[in-house]
């Protein structure tokens, strides 16, 4: 006759406890920061920087910031860009945004990154690939890449 309530052996209990502990540790290592970027022409950026972000979390709210990776040729203090967002279900939102670029004291040979807050409490409500397009309204020199940072709100 088969025992309907077999006793769990001690090694199996330890294995289960270790699995739970490792799972909790791994969950704690997930970063709340997500970034996606696209390289652009550093000599004359005028075309759209097409940025794709694969979203799996439809409940979390994010603070969104645009960022520009610039070299020594970049001398602007403001830059107006057109930001277009295409959702996985083909909805499109587009707006012009004036970016105020903070001045830094880096030597000209160093690459700098300007991070400019864009939107707060953004919820990407659909699972799938979101496409962001960042296009300057005029040709700009010295920008090497454009991207978006999404930081989970707590």
């Amino acid at each position: 006759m088969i025992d309907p309530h077999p006793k769990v052996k001690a090694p199996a209990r330890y294995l289960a406890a270790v699995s739970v502990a490792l799972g909790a540790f791994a969950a704690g290592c997930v970063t709340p920061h997500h970034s996606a970027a696209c390289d652009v022409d550093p000599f004359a950026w005028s075309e759209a920087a097409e940025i794709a972000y694969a979203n799996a979390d439809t409940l979390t709210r994010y603070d969104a910031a645009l960022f520009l990776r610039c070299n020594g040729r970049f001398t602007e203090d403001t830059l107006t860009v057109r930001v277009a967002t295409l959702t996985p279900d083909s909805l499109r939102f587009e707006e012009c945004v004036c970016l105020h670029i903070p001045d830094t004291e880096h030597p000209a040979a160093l690459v700098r990154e300007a991070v400019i807050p864009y939107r707060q409490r953004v919820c990407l409500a659909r699972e799938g690939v979101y496409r962001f397009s960042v296009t300057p309204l005029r040709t700009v020199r010295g920008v090497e890449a454009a991207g978006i940072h999404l930081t989970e709100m707590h």
Side-chain angles (χ1 to χ4, degrees):
M1 188 161 154
I2 299 175
D3 183 9
H5 303 289
K7 295 187 179 180
V8 178
K9 300 195 181 210
R13 276 187 272 151
Y14 293 126
L15 182 60
V18 168
S19 296
V20 169
L22 286 175
F25 177 73
C29 291
V30 176
T31 180
H33 306 285
H34 308 277
S35 295
C38 176
D39 289 336
V40 298
D41 182 2
F43 298 106
W45 177 34
S46 61
E47 300 294 319
E50 301 290 338
I51 303 159
Y53 175 73
N55 182 49
D57 185 352
T58 60
L59 299 175
T60 302
R61 294 207 178 266
Y62 299 96
D63 285 337
L66 297 175
F67 70 89
L68 303 174
R69 189 175 328 124
C70 309
N71 61 29
R73 291 187 191 99
F74 185 76
T75 59
E76 311 293 327
D77 60 351
T78 61
L79 177 63
T80 303
V81 296
R82 175 169 289 127
V83 179
T85 303
L86 182 64
T87 66
D89 57 350
S90 299
L91 295 176
R92 183 178 178 90
F93 176 74
E94 191 170 322
E95 65 183 329
C96 289
V97 179
C98 183
L99 306 177
H100 296 277
I101 313 299
D103 191 24
T104 60
E105 298 296 325
H106 292 294
L110 294 179
V111 173
R112 70 179 174 135
E113 188 173 283
V115 179
I116 303 97
Y118 171 53
R119 290 262 177 213
Q120 293 181 329
R121 301 183 50 79
V122 174
C123 181
L124 304 178
R126 299 279 186 241
E127 188 173 316
V129 177
Y130 280 77
R131 302 197 181 279
F132 299 95
S133 173
V134 181
T135 309
L137 294 187
R138 60 182 170 74
T139 302
V140 180
R141 292 174 30 124
V143 177
E144 296 180 354
I148 189 165
H149 286 304
L150 297 173
T151 306
E152 292 179 17
M153 295 181 59
H154 296 286

